[in-house]
Amino acid sequence: MGKAGKALKQVLEIYGISQNKLAVTIGTGRPNVHRWVNEIRDPVAETVLEIRDALKKINPAAAEEFIRLYLGDADKDEQQT
C-alpha cells in the first residue's frame, strides 16, 4: 500500500502544492488527500487519473513527475522479480 501516496507526497513537497489546493482542484475534501499522502488509504485507479489531471492544471511538470514516480516504482518491482 502507498505507492501513489508516496509519489503524491513527494510531488506536493517538491512543487510546493498544498493538499488543500489539490483537493479543491480535484473537487474532493482535503481529508481524502491527507489519507492518500499519509498512506492511510490508496486512491483507486480512477482517482489516480483525477490526481494527474488536477496536478496538470496546477503545474504540468508536477503531473509528469507524479506519474513518473508512481510508475517508476512499479518498474523497479518488476525488475526485481
Side-chain angles (χ1 to χ4, degrees), residues 8-75:
L8 183 57
K9 183 175 187 172
Q10 283 184 293
V11 167
L12 295 182
E13 289 175 0
I14 292 167
Y15 291 92
I17 300 168
S18 71
Q19 291 181 20
N20 189 59
K21 183 170 182 110
L22 179 62
V24 168
T25 306
I26 292 174
T28 190
R30 196 198 62 76
N32 287 330
V33 177
H34 173 81
R35 288 183 198 103
W36 302 329
V37 167
N38 291 289
E39 301 175 46
I40 296 167
R41 176 172 289 159
D42 278 337
V44 296
E46 183 178 306
T47 304
V48 170
L49 296 176
E50 291 174 3
I51 292 168
R52 181 208 56 198
D53 292 345
L55 287 170
K56 203 179 283 187
K57 289 178 185 176
I58 298 167
N59 183 332
E64 288 181 28
E65 183 70 3
F66 171 68
I67 294 301
R68 187 188 70 76
L69 289 168
Y70 181 57
L71 295 179
D73 287 343
D75 289 343

